[in-house]
Amino acid sequence: MLKQAGAFSMMGAAAPLAMNLAAASALAAPAATDYRALVCVFLYGGNDAFNTVLATDDPSWSNYAAVRNQQPESIALLRNAAPNRNAKLGSPEWLGGVLPISAASMQSGRSFAMHPMLGGLQAMFNTSRRLAVVANVGSLVEPLSKTDYLQGQKRKPKKLFSHNDQQSTWMAMAPEGTAVGWGGRLADAVASANNSSLFTAISASGESVWLSGETVRQYQVSPAGPVRMGTQPDSTGVSRVYGSDVVGAALERIVTSSRNQHVMAADMAAVNQRSIQAERILSGALPSEALAPYGPASALQYTTLAGGRAHNSLAQQLQVVARTIAAHGSLGVKRQVFFVSMGGFDTHNNQNLGHADLMAKLNHAMQYFDTTLSAMGVAQQVTTFTASDFGRSFTSNGDGSDHGWGAHHLVMGGAVQGGDVHGDFPVLGKKNQRNNQFDASPDQISNGILLPKVSVDQYGAALGQWFGLSPSQLPEIFPNLANFSGASRLALMKA
């Protein structure tokens, strides 16, 4: 690493680009012979997992319905009911009953279902078996029982229940301010398999700490494609500003030149040069968004609760991810990590309508992505998973839910052990009269919040091993993994 850095120092302004292309990493994985991609779908705000994947066996359902049926507006979904379109839009009565799913491994007589707006994902779980549920995932330092938590006998993650800090902990294993995420560390490890590390870590949703590596820099695209630096190329690829190729060329000379020998000026010029080069390379490699299976534009519209059609920004982000995956051969990459996101999950109020609409968008976007990847012939090579700040409270605050901890997550792809619920699904209890405590459940703390049983480290490690990392490399990316026994590792992916 030091020898390589010394050699690059002689390259002047080009050094940052050269260093990035080399992707020097002590974690470098063995050379890949196939193509694989991981796609993180981050649900900002804290998704209400209790209303996303539900236990429908009688004891669980009885407690669920009792706890969530609170005035003035119940947020308890219905188990067996036809939709009543005369009821309030988005209400449990309007939605109708939850959608049953058939898990391959039944858990002590448990039965499960999904939110009524997740019909496409239900079919992926039950029929194509390309979707799995991972139960009760959350940030953990080490295994933590309810007694451990209440008596403070073991370490807890820092700054629980804080949006920014728990988003960072999910993405980078530490509170806000942490600079390197586990998606970026995965990119560091596999970048040597790519001809250029420039397109190893790609975000379609702005800068994300999850994609920040030690050596690999994340490349950001807009949902429409690569971001141009103030110029607009014509049909021949000539950059123009105000229709002038002269002005376009002048602008590029300005932003890619250093006016002095200061290292920061030289570095900025190199960054601008890389941005312009990357945009041209990627623009030339991407298939048109209007062509099948990526388009037409109407494919990015979902059906709203009111029955209309509306643009789905998550689907558009996944469209540019699919187009980039299609270009992987031209780009010379064999391993890629992608980041997309959707906001609005902080459902403290008006949850019935808001969460139902979010579920409709998530269902449409993931179904669109699965259909597109299947048509491209790469469904086996791409694994998509959800993440979120945290789960939410089991108790209702009147028409919403509050910040929680553990939550259920979805993993999609042809390489996934689909059609199953991985991890132990939590026991749901009833609150007592003392500060909303849940004495009868070993998995619930105050307000019925789930105490996680699967750590983010375990969740990420299962994905990372499929991605190509060896068991010895995983603890370097997931620092708490060593605290969890091998027997507790997730058998989430096919061999």
Side-chain angles (χ1 to χ4, degrees):
M1 175 69 177
L2 291 174
K3 288 180 180 179
Q4 202 168 42
F8 289 144
S9 69
M10 300 174 63
M11 300 179 66
L17 175 60
M19 180 76 88
N20 187 242
L21 294 178
S25 173
L27 283 173
T33 58
D34 60 351
Y35 175 80
R36 294 188 182 186
L38 281 174
V39 183
C40 175
V41 179
F42 204 89
L43 310 178
Y44 280 106
N47 178 43
D48 186 355
F50 287 114
N51 275 14
T52 302
V53 181
L54 306 90
T56 57
D57 50 276
D58 287 341
S60 299
W61 193 265
S62 174
N63 291 341
Y64 164 84
V67 171
R68 295 214 130 188
N69 184 17
Q70 183 170 320
Q71 297 301 315
E73 185 170 306
S74 171
I75 61 169
L77 298 175
L78 304 180
R79 183 164 53 168
N80 298 305
N84 177 7
R85 295 303 191 234
N86 294 319
K88 182 179 178 181
L89 184 67
S91 66
E93 294 76 16
W94 185 91
L95 290 168
V98 294
L99 306 177
I101 55 175
S102 301
S105 304
M106 297 305 294
Q107 300 190 24
S108 302
R110 309 294 292 274
S111 59
F112 307 105
M114 288 183 172
H115 189 281
M117 298 306 295
L118 297 181
L121 297 184
Q122 178 203 30
M124 267 189 265
F125 188 101
N126 286 341
T127 305
S128 67
R129 298 292 190 182
R130 285 201 297 272
L131 185 80
V133 173
V134 182
N136 200 10
V137 188
S139 57
L140 287 171
V141 178
E142 58 186 334
L144 197 64
S145 71
K146 189 170 181 177
T147 299
D148 295 332
Y149 175 81
L150 294 175
Q151 297 182 3
Q153 295 177 345
K154 290 187 178 181
R155 293 170 293 173
K156 296 182 289 188
K158 297 177 180 178
K159 299 184 179 180
L160 286 170
F161 318 122
S162 158
H163 282 296
N164 292 350
D165 293 297
Q166 288 307 299
Q167 287 167 11
S168 179
T169 301
W170 255 91
M171 295 184 192
M173 306 303 175
E176 187 176 24
T178 306
V180 179
W182 59 268
R185 291 287 281 158
L186 287 174
D188 287 340
V190 300
S192 60
N194 297 336
N195 290 344
S196 168
S197 71
L198 195 58
F199 302 113
T200 301
I202 298 179
S203 173
S205 184
E207 185 175 2
S208 166
V209 70
W210 184 73
L211 278 183
S212 295
E214 295 281 3
T215 57
V216 170
R217 299 175 181 176
Q218 61 184 289
Y219 182 76
Q220 297 179 40
V221 297
S222 76
V227 179
R228 297 188 174 100
M229 187 176 288
T231 61
Q232 180 66 39
D234 61 15
S235 59
T236 65
V238 176
S239 295
R240 299 181 186 276
V241 176
Y242 302 121
S244 169
D245 59 338
V246 175
V247 177
L251 175 61
E252 289 192 7
R253 285 196 303 272
I254 291 169
V255 300
T256 59
S257 301
S258 174
R259 297 180 61 184
N260 55 55
Q261 297 303 310
H262 195 285
V263 65
M264 292 184 66
D267 194 55
M268 177 60 73
V271 169
N272 291 339
Q273 180 69 48
R274 185 184 70 236
S275 177
I276 291 171
Q277 291 175 346
E279 184 275 320
R280 288 176 178 166
I281 293 169
L282 188 54
S283 292
L286 286 183
S288 170
E289 69 272 18
L291 297 177
Y294 319 105
S298 59
L300 304 181
Q301 296 178 335
Y302 80 108
T303 302
T304 67
L305 271 63
R309 299 283 290 173
H311 177 73
N312 187 344
S313 62
L314 181 59
Q316 188 174 14
Q317 292 172 57
L318 290 170
Q319 182 194 56
V320 77
V321 170
R323 292 167 62 209
T324 306
I325 289 171
H328 76 267
S330 300
L331 298 174
V333 292
K334 294 182 178 180
R335 290 290 186 272
Q336 290 181 291
V337 287
F338 295 91
F339 182 84
V340 299
S341 71
M342 181 166 62
F345 287 87
D346 195 19
T347 50
H348 287 284
N349 51 51
N350 198 26
Q351 176 164 313
N352 285 332
L353 180 62
H355 194 250
D357 184 63
L358 291 167
M359 292 292 98
K361 290 178 181 177
L362 181 65
N363 180 75
H364 165 258
M366 292 188 71
Q367 189 175 25
Y368 161 82
F369 195 48
D370 177 68
T371 301
T372 302
L373 294 176
S374 296
M376 292 165 58
V378 295
Q380 293 286 130
Q381 298 159 277
V382 182
T383 298
T384 305
F385 65 97
T386 64
S388 191
D389 318 16
F390 36 60
R392 302 198 72 80
S393 63
F394 191 38
T395 56
S396 166
N397 61 26
D399 68 343
S401 55
D402 298 318
H403 297 182
W405 192 355
H408 317 312
H409 286 283
L410 307 175
V411 185
M412 180 180 79
V416 176
Q417 293 279 14
D420 212 349
V421 176
H422 298 267
D424 294 330
F425 209 86
V427 174
L428 302 181
K430 288 183 180 178
K431 59 184 177 181
N432 63 20
Q433 300 304 311
R434 303 189 325 276
N435 193 29
N436 289 339
Q437 296 295 331
F438 283 70
D439 297 335
S441 170
D443 302 315
Q444 291 179 288
I445 55 177
S446 178
N447 288 317
I449 290 168
L450 290 180
L451 180 62
K453 287 291 189 251
V454 175
S455 70
V456 177
D457 297 73
Q458 293 170 289
Y459 187 51
L463 298 167
Q465 189 159 2
W466 170 82
F467 198 50
L469 274 71
S470 67
S472 63
Q473 290 174 305
L474 293 172
E476 298 186 55
I477 296 176
F478 303 100
N480 300 315
L481 189 62
N483 299 331
F484 298 87
S485 69
S488 65
R489 304 287 169 90
L490 288 173
L492 178 59
M493 308 300 293
K494 295 175 182 176

